[in-house]
mmCIF file of all heavy atoms in Angstrom:
data_model
loop_
_atom_site.group_PDB
_atom_site.id
_atom_site.type_symbol
_atom_site.label_atom_id
_atom_site.label_comp_id
_atom_site.label_asym_id
_atom_site.label_seq_id
_atom_site.Cartn_x
_atom_site.Cartn_y
_atom_site.Cartn_z
ATOM 1 N N SER A 347 24.873 -29.206 19.980
ATOM 2 C CA SER A 347 25.247 -30.208 20.985
ATOM 3 C C SER A 347 25.972 -31.396 20.375
ATOM 4 O O SER A 347 26.748 -32.074 21.049
ATOM 5 C CB SER A 347 23.997 -30.687 21.730
ATOM 6 O OG SER A 347 23.329 -29.559 22.241
ATOM 7 N N GLU A 348 25.703 -31.634 19.087
ATOM 8 C CA GLU A 348 26.376 -32.772 18.433
ATOM 9 C C GLU A 348 27.813 -32.449 18.033
ATOM 10 O O GLU A 348 28.556 -33.323 17.623
ATOM 11 C CB GLU A 348 25.607 -33.147 17.144
ATOM 12 C CG GLU A 348 24.316 -33.893 17.406
ATOM 13 C CD GLU A 348 23.400 -33.887 16.185
ATOM 14 O OE1 GLU A 348 23.758 -33.271 15.153
ATOM 15 O OE2 GLU A 348 22.320 -34.475 16.276
ATOM 16 N N GLY A 349 28.153 -31.157 18.104
ATOM 17 C CA GLY A 349 29.463 -30.726 17.602
ATOM 18 C C GLY A 349 30.613 -31.078 18.526
ATOM 19 O O GLY A 349 30.416 -31.649 19.603
ATOM 20 N N GLU A 350 31.790 -30.671 18.112
ATOM 21 C CA GLU A 350 33.005 -31.004 18.838
ATOM 22 C C GLU A 350 32.972 -30.434 20.261
ATOM 23 O O GLU A 350 33.262 -31.114 21.233
ATOM 24 C CB GLU A 350 34.194 -30.410 18.061
ATOM 25 C CG GLU A 350 35.517 -30.994 18.450
ATOM 26 C CD GLU A 350 36.625 -30.310 17.664
ATOM 27 O OE1 GLU A 350 36.507 -30.237 16.420
ATOM 28 O OE2 GLU A 350 37.590 -29.838 18.307
ATOM 29 N N ALA A 351 32.546 -29.154 20.358
ATOM 30 C CA ALA A 351 32.493 -28.532 21.689
ATOM 31 C C ALA A 351 31.331 -29.121 22.490
ATOM 32 O O ALA A 351 31.441 -29.360 23.686
ATOM 33 C CB ALA A 351 32.326 -27.025 21.554
ATOM 34 N N GLY A 352 30.231 -29.354 21.810
ATOM 35 C CA GLY A 352 29.067 -29.970 22.460
ATOM 36 C C GLY A 352 28.288 -29.010 23.330
ATOM 37 O O GLY A 352 27.211 -29.331 23.831
ATOM 38 N N VAL A 353 28.827 -27.824 23.544
ATOM 39 C CA VAL A 353 28.162 -26.846 24.414
ATOM 40 C C VAL A 353 28.209 -25.487 23.729
ATOM 41 O O VAL A 353 29.018 -25.280 22.834
ATOM 42 C CB VAL A 353 28.864 -26.729 25.786
ATOM 43 C CG1 VAL A 353 28.812 -28.042 26.528
ATOM 44 C CG2 VAL A 353 30.324 -26.289 25.617
ATOM 45 N N ILE A 354 27.337 -24.576 24.163
ATOM 46 C CA ILE A 354 27.456 -23.226 23.627
ATOM 47 C C ILE A 354 28.463 -22.476 24.500
ATOM 48 O O ILE A 354 28.339 -22.456 25.728
ATOM 49 C CB ILE A 354 26.074 -22.516 23.494
ATOM 50 C CG1 ILE A 354 26.225 -21.142 22.852
ATOM 51 C CG2 ILE A 354 25.321 -22.395 24.793
ATOM 52 C CD1 ILE A 354 26.208 -21.172 21.368
ATOM 53 N N MET A 355 29.442 -21.876 23.879
ATOM 54 C CA MET A 355 30.569 -21.327 24.633
ATOM 55 C C MET A 355 30.270 -19.929 25.154
ATOM 56 O O MET A 355 30.831 -18.938 24.683
ATOM 57 C CB MET A 355 31.838 -21.338 23.766
ATOM 58 C CG MET A 355 32.327 -22.749 23.464
ATOM 59 S SD MET A 355 32.585 -23.744 24.945
ATOM 60 C CE MET A 355 34.049 -22.989 25.617
ATOM 61 N N HIS A 356 29.398 -19.845 26.137
ATOM 62 C CA HIS A 356 29.072 -18.553 26.720
ATOM 63 C C HIS A 356 28.482 -18.789 28.116
ATOM 64 O O HIS A 356 27.673 -19.688 28.289
ATOM 65 C CB HIS A 356 28.044 -17.832 25.839
ATOM 66 C CG HIS A 356 28.162 -16.339 25.926
ATOM 67 N ND1 HIS A 356 28.871 -15.594 25.025
ATOM 68 C CD2 HIS A 356 27.666 -15.469 26.830
ATOM 69 C CE1 HIS A 356 28.800 -14.308 25.356
ATOM 70 N NE2 HIS A 356 28.086 -14.217 26.461
ATOM 71 N N GLY A 357 28.859 -17.970 29.083
ATOM 72 C CA GLY A 357 28.326 -18.168 30.432
ATOM 73 C C GLY A 357 28.613 -16.983 31.320
ATOM 74 O O GLY A 357 29.500 -17.019 32.176
ATOM 75 N N PRO A 358 27.851 -15.874 31.115
ATOM 76 C CA PRO A 358 28.148 -14.658 31.898
ATOM 77 C C PRO A 358 27.866 -14.824 33.390
ATOM 78 O O PRO A 358 27.011 -15.622 33.802
ATOM 79 C CB PRO A 358 27.222 -13.604 31.287
ATOM 80 C CG PRO A 358 26.252 -14.339 30.421
ATOM 81 C CD PRO A 358 26.771 -15.711 30.165
ATOM 82 N N THR A 359 28.581 -14.064 34.201
ATOM 83 C CA THR A 359 28.467 -14.145 35.665
ATOM 84 C C THR A 359 27.021 -13.972 36.125
ATOM 85 O O THR A 359 26.543 -14.677 37.002
ATOM 86 C CB THR A 359 29.322 -13.019 36.306
ATOM 87 O OG1 THR A 359 30.633 -13.129 35.797
ATOM 88 C CG2 THR A 359 29.334 -13.123 37.822
ATOM 89 N N PHE A 360 26.316 -13.013 35.510
ATOM 90 C CA PHE A 360 24.961 -12.734 35.976
ATOM 91 C C PHE A 360 23.887 -13.419 35.131
ATOM 92 O O PHE A 360 22.730 -13.015 35.128
ATOM 93 C CB PHE A 360 24.735 -11.216 36.062
ATOM 94 C CG PHE A 360 25.518 -10.605 37.197
ATOM 95 C CD1 PHE A 360 26.740 -10.008 36.985
ATOM 96 C CD2 PHE A 360 25.041 -10.704 38.503
ATOM 97 C CE1 PHE A 360 27.471 -9.488 38.039
ATOM 98 C CE2 PHE A 360 25.768 -10.189 39.572
ATOM 99 C CZ PHE A 360 26.994 -9.581 39.341
ATOM 100 N N MET A 361 24.272 -14.470 34.449
ATOM 101 C CA MET A 361 23.326 -15.241 33.641
ATOM 102 C C MET A 361 22.163 -15.718 34.525
ATOM 103 O O MET A 361 22.372 -16.267 35.597
ATOM 104 C CB MET A 361 24.043 -16.454 33.046
ATOM 105 C CG MET A 361 23.187 -17.292 32.137
ATOM 106 S SD MET A 361 24.250 -18.479 31.263
ATOM 107 C CE MET A 361 23.037 -19.315 30.273
ATOM 108 N N GLY A 362 20.952 -15.479 34.063
ATOM 109 C CA GLY A 362 19.766 -15.954 34.783
ATOM 110 C C GLY A 362 19.566 -15.268 36.116
ATOM 111 O O GLY A 362 18.955 -15.849 37.025
ATOM 112 N N ASN A 363 20.037 -14.046 36.273
ATOM 113 C CA ASN A 363 19.893 -13.345 37.561
ATOM 114 C C ASN A 363 18.433 -13.405 38.051
ATOM 115 O O ASN A 363 17.513 -12.996 37.332
ATOM 116 C CB ASN A 363 20.339 -11.884 37.394
ATOM 117 C CG ASN A 363 20.058 -11.081 38.637
ATOM 118 O OD1 ASN A 363 19.079 -10.363 38.689
ATOM 119 N ND2 ASN A 363 20.887 -11.232 39.648
ATOM 120 N N PRO A 364 18.211 -13.931 39.258
ATOM 121 C CA PRO A 364 16.839 -14.145 39.735
ATOM 122 C C PRO A 364 15.993 -12.866 39.815
ATOM 123 O O PRO A 364 14.794 -12.909 39.526
ATOM 124 C CB PRO A 364 17.025 -14.746 41.135
ATOM 125 C CG PRO A 364 18.416 -15.265 41.155
ATOM 126 C CD PRO A 364 19.214 -14.445 40.209
ATOM 127 N N LEU A 365 16.620 -11.754 40.204
ATOM 128 C CA LEU A 365 15.865 -10.489 40.268
ATOM 129 C C LEU A 365 15.324 -10.131 38.888
ATOM 130 O O LEU A 365 14.143 -9.787 38.731
ATOM 131 C CB LEU A 365 16.778 -9.342 40.720
ATOM 132 C CG LEU A 365 17.124 -9.204 42.176
ATOM 133 C CD1 LEU A 365 18.078 -8.030 42.366
ATOM 134 C CD2 LEU A 365 15.858 -8.976 42.992
ATOM 135 N N ALA A 366 16.213 -10.197 37.905
ATOM 136 C CA ALA A 366 15.819 -9.831 36.541
ATOM 137 C C ALA A 366 14.779 -10.807 36.004
ATOM 138 O O ALA A 366 13.799 -10.398 35.360
ATOM 139 C CB ALA A 366 17.050 -9.788 35.643
ATOM 140 N N CYS A 367 14.980 -12.103 36.262
ATOM 141 C CA CYS A 367 14.026 -13.109 35.760
ATOM 142 C C CYS A 367 12.654 -12.917 36.408
ATOM 143 O O CYS A 367 11.621 -12.996 35.739
ATOM 144 C CB CYS A 367 14.530 -14.520 36.053
ATOM 145 S SG CYS A 367 15.947 -14.967 35.054
ATOM 146 N N GLN A 368 12.648 -12.662 37.704
ATOM 147 C CA GLN A 368 11.368 -12.521 38.405
ATOM 148 C C GLN A 368 10.614 -11.293 37.927
ATOM 149 O O GLN A 368 9.402 -11.331 37.691
ATOM 150 C CB GLN A 368 11.596 -12.456 39.924
ATOM 151 C CG GLN A 368 10.319 -12.466 40.755
ATOM 152 C CD GLN A 368 9.419 -13.659 40.439
ATOM 153 O OE1 GLN A 368 9.898 -14.783 40.266
ATOM 154 N NE2 GLN A 368 8.114 -13.423 40.337
#
Side-chain angles (χ1 to χ4, degrees):
S347 306
E348 284 163 358
E350 197 182 309
V353 298
I354 184 86
M355 293 305 288
H356 209 96
T359 306
F360 289 97
M361 183 169 180
N363 173 260
L365 282 178
C367 289
Q368 187 55 41

